[in-house]
Amino acid sequence: KDLHPPVISLALSPGLGLFMAVLVQMTFTGKSFIGGNVEISLTANLTASSWLWQDTAGIPRFSSRNCHITLISVKTNLPSSMLPKVTSKFLNSTLQKVLPGLLCPAVDAVLNLVNTKFTTMASEIPLGTAGTLQYTLLNPPMTSETFIELDLKTILHQKEGKEVDIPIDQPSLASLPPKRDAATQLILSANFLSAELRILQTSFNLDISNNTVLGLPPLVTTMLGALIPEISKVLPPSQPLVIEMREAKAPVMSITPDKSFVQLFSTAEFQVSPLDSAPESLFVLDVHSNLEVQFAIEDEKLQLSLALQRAMGGLHHFSVFQELPLKGVLADIVHVAYVPSIN
């Protein structure tokens, strides 16, 4: 007839898994053997232990163990003269047999929901079209009195299927930030984030021209000639420029207690792009960009936002001039066009 919302208490069992106590209040109704309706209201305490283990696929699992039911109180609308005998018989012959089969499967149902979450955690996650990410357990789960620790192995695959090597730099628990009560912490290493950026680096490629983004200086040969008089005589006048930004080396993430940074190692190839012929390369600059990282969580995903701290350029090809007064223009290009494209 009635089932009150259960009152659930949870505790971690060191070296085992989870202990739960569930206070249940319910009312049964039916026909009495002496005629009329009978109501029985009972309060019972369910206790169960669950074991946290690692399956063959490297996924954590909860399995229930030792489910027990203890009756706390029973009330009925039967005549008071019948209460002692009838209640005793009912408890012994019926409730103690029925309740475990009625309530213990609920424990399994809840644990199965948690195990489904674990299975989702270990499924392949697409990183756009660049590759995939997968988590598996590196070691069996460890349960203490205050937390469960899962040491995860991160498996990154490029879109061709090749696995990306990630150096192991697992910190000790003592070196991690203090754990907040009732919170889950996921600790990701700088090496892991660098490896993810390495998979994504081909998507950082960008061709920049006058039509790419507002806020850039005019990207024409006249601008180059004014900045670098040494090459003005060999440049066709007023021809549009295209700057090909390409990642030359894998990005590198560094994390400190105060700030985090990503270093990008790019090339910027300046090309003349006449309307009636193929582009012609003028020179290539090596560009080293230092970007500050801001982290955020949105829809259960880690998001990185990059902001330019400084960009340095070096001559890679073309030796007519030694000094390049292009640093300001280069910084504008990285700040206004390239970094927003990556973000």
Side-chain angles (χ1 to χ4, degrees), residues 4 8 27 46 83 153 192 205 222 298:
H4 290 232
I8 303 173
T27 300
L46 179 153
L83 277 178
K153 178 183 179 182
F192 165 66
N205 296 339
T222 308
E298 186 172 323

Side-chain angles (χ1 to χ4, degrees), residues 3 6 16 42 59 61 89 95 118 129 131 133 143 158 160 197 202 214 232 247 249 325:
L3 177 64
L16 179 63
L42 66 88
I59 302 173
R61 296 285 182 198
K89 182 179 179 181
L95 284 182
F118 282 141
T129 59
L133 161 66
T143 306
Q158 297 173 330
E160 302 85 9
L197 293 175
T202 56
L214 296 175
S232 59
E247 287 304 300
K249 294 195 301 182

Side-chain angles (χ1 to χ4, degrees), residues 58-280:
I59 302 173
R61 296 285 182 198
F62 275 116
S63 296
S64 62
R65 306 169 64 180
N66 304 325
C67 181
H68 296 288
I69 307 292
T70 303
L71 288 170
I72 298 175
S73 68
V74 178
K75 295 180 180 179
T76 178
N77 65 345
L78 292 173
S80 58
S81 60
M82 299 179 59
L83 277 178
K85 184 176 179 180
V86 172
T87 301
S88 176
K89 182 179 179 181
F90 187 79
L91 293 180
N92 292 333
S93 64
T94 308
L95 284 182
Q96 291 286 9
K97 297 177 182 178
V98 170
L99 288 178
L102 183 67
L103 298 179
C104 288
V107 175
D108 294 328
V110 172
L111 294 179
N112 286 337
L113 290 174
V114 178
N115 289 336
T116 300
K117 291 285 188 179
F118 282 141
T119 302
T120 303
M121 178 201 79
S123 61
E124 280 198 335
I125 304 165
L127 299 174
T129 59
T132 61
L133 161 66
Q134 188 174 14
Y135 295 105
T136 63
L137 279 177
L138 188 62
N139 299 304
M142 188 191 80
T143 306
S144 72
E145 292 182 354
T146 55
F147 61 84
I148 295 173
E149 180 185 351
L150 302 179
D151 295 331
L152 301 175
K153 178 183 179 182
T154 47
I155 303 172
L156 289 170
H157 282 104
Q158 297 173 330
K159 62 181 178 181
E160 302 85 9
K162 181 181 178 182
E163 185 173 339
V164 178
D165 180 53
I166 305 176
I168 296 177
D169 59 353
Q170 186 174 350
S172 66
L173 267 174
S175 69
L176 299 180
K179 188 182 179 310
R180 292 175 296 156
D181 290 338
T184 297
Q185 290 181 331
L186 179 63
I187 310 298
L188 301 175
S189 72
N191 282 342
F192 165 66
L193 294 174
S194 293
E196 282 210 278
L197 293 175
R198 193 189 323 164
I199 286 182
L200 296 170
Q201 73 181 69
T202 56
S203 62
F204 298 166
N205 296 339
L206 181 66
D207 294 342
I208 302 170
S209 64
N210 271 332
N211 299 322
T212 302
V213 66
L214 296 175
L216 290 177
L219 297 180
V220 292
T221 52
T222 308
M223 177 271 290
L224 274 185
L227 289 174
I228 312 168
E230 294 91 336
I231 65 171
S232 59
K233 295 179 181 180
V234 300
L235 290 174
S238 301
Q239 290 293 320
L241 292 172
V242 172
I243 303 169
E244 287 190 354
M245 299 292 297
R246 301 290 184 265
E247 287 304 300
K249 294 195 301 182
V252 175
M253 168 81 74
S254 59
I255 299 176
T256 70
D258 300 319
K259 290 184 178 180
S260 300
F261 297 93
V262 168
Q263 296 182 68
L264 296 181
F265 306 93
S266 318
T267 59
E269 182 175 1
F270 284 69
Q271 299 177 343
V272 178
S273 182
L275 297 177
D276 55 352
S277 60
E280 177 184 349

